Amino acid sequence: MSATEMISVIVPVYNIKNYVEKCVNSIINQTYQNFEIILVDDGSSDGSEVICDKLAMCDERIRTYHKANGGLSDARNFGIDKSRGKYISFVDGDDLLHPDAIELLLHNLTINKADISSGGVVREKQCPFETFVNCKRENRIRCFDRKAAIIEMYAATEYLYVMAWGKLYRRELFDDIKFPYGMLHEDMAIMYRLYEKAERIVGTTLPIYYNSQRDGSITRSEYSSFRMECWCKYYFEPIGYFKEHDRDVYKAVQAGYLKDAIWYYRLAYIADDKVIMERIYNMYEQCCHQEILKFYGIRKQIKYSLFKLSPRLFLFLFT
């Protein structure tokens, strides 16, 4: 297989010295071997940077780059710029891949002539990694055009999801799309744009990505108003965009918002962040109407309607 068909696996690394070697080993041990691993040390100070250099010395397919801390988005963009493969995949430095992950993603992408191939995810809290690797797995595959893919990502999420990892991309998709610098929930900012740019997207329910739930990760860190502002921003933007461009997708994004907003409202409520609570609820009020509730069964319709009626009563009853 020629170098132009090589896969670039981009791994951002920031102060994860107890995880990064396991992550890289899970990539090295793939059944598919024509890849490069780009380790982007984003200003680590805990020894992760030393481990990255040692790993690069042991395998010529690994390249390590050291840069000043700029956040996950900046590290991913940096890795894209340094990549040489025909395809790109992202693995967070504290996560792991199933040994068949890259081979499966590439197989699904190739036989379906797709631009993006997505695999299933298992969270660390669901099972140990050894169980994840050895368990029997159901491989249900579905192909989407760009519109159906965006609807699936927001309103269904069985085959496609908003996170950048767990996927394989044709690198041309990133020619004019970058992760937003210095922001959180950066995947939300670009995933609908990537799906919109792609001609064809394929997803499988087969779990290929093992997502760490470690303390100290961005998603498990202490409450942050900035994080919540980013979440609001990157949900409100596609709602506004598709309101003007595609009413079907617009309704799907609204339906997805109903599903996700309650969780984030609860976080803001616990932190007594009244500004964020108001922002989340105001948009929820706009999205929660009969046409959008039809995306869900009767139980969820009642649940979402109750939250609209009284968020505080809802939290009292269900927390």
Side-chain angles (χ1 to χ4, degrees), residues 4 37 51 64 68-69 94 110 112 171 215 270 273 276 314:
T4 57
I37 301 174
I51 296 173
T64 293
N69 181 254
D94 51 357
T110 302
N112 292 287
R171 67 167 301 116
D215 293 334
I270 293 171
D273 190 336
I276 293 295
F314 180 94

Side-chain angles (χ1 to χ4, degrees), residues 181-282:
Y181 178 80
M183 305 298 284
L184 302 177
H185 291 287
E186 61 286 327
D187 299 349
M188 293 175 64
I190 72 164
M191 194 53 61
Y192 74 92
R193 296 172 58 205
L194 291 168
Y195 285 157
E196 191 175 40
K197 187 176 178 181
E199 292 286 342
R200 192 171 176 84
I201 300 95
V202 61
T204 177
T205 58
L206 195 66
I208 55 93
Y209 193 93
Y210 191 76
N211 180 232
S212 167
Q213 301 289 291
R214 69 180 177 88
D215 293 334
S217 65
I218 291 174
T219 54
R220 289 173 64 86
S221 56
E222 292 183 3
Y223 181 84
S224 163
S225 292
F226 177 65
R227 175 191 170 197
M228 301 294 280
E229 287 284 356
C230 291
W231 182 83
C232 290
K233 172 181 173 62
Y234 294 132
Y235 235 125
F236 295 175
E237 283 183 357
I239 288 175
Y241 174 78
F242 287 111
K243 183 177 182 180
E244 302 299 325
H245 289 83
D246 192 309
R247 298 294 293 186
D248 293 331
V249 178
Y250 171 56
K251 289 185 285 187
V253 182
Q254 288 181 298
Y257 185 79
L258 296 188
K259 173 167 54 69
D260 296 340
I262 294 174
W263 167 254
Y264 284 92
Y265 185 95
R266 182 185 283 114
L267 294 179
Y269 177 79
I270 293 171
D272 196 29
D273 190 336
K274 293 182 174 58
V275 174
I276 293 295
M277 290 165 59
E278 183 177 6
R279 288 198 68 193
I280 292 174
Y281 181 72
N282 287 344

Side-chain angles (χ1 to χ4, degrees), residues 16 20 36 48 65 77 82 100 102 105 233 249 263 275 277 312:
I16 49 172
V20 63
E36 63 174 359
S48 298
Y65 295 93
N77 290 336
K82 297 298 183 181
D100 299 331
I102 294 178
L105 291 174
K233 172 181 173 62
V249 178
W263 167 254
V275 174
M277 290 165 59
R312 292 176 183 270

Side-chain angles (χ1 to χ4, degrees), residues 95-112:
D95 292 341
L96 303 168
L97 292 183
H98 189 281
D100 299 331
I102 294 178
E103 182 176 9
L104 178 74
L105 291 174
L106 181 59
H107 173 76
N108 287 351
L109 184 144
T110 302
I111 64 172
N112 292 287

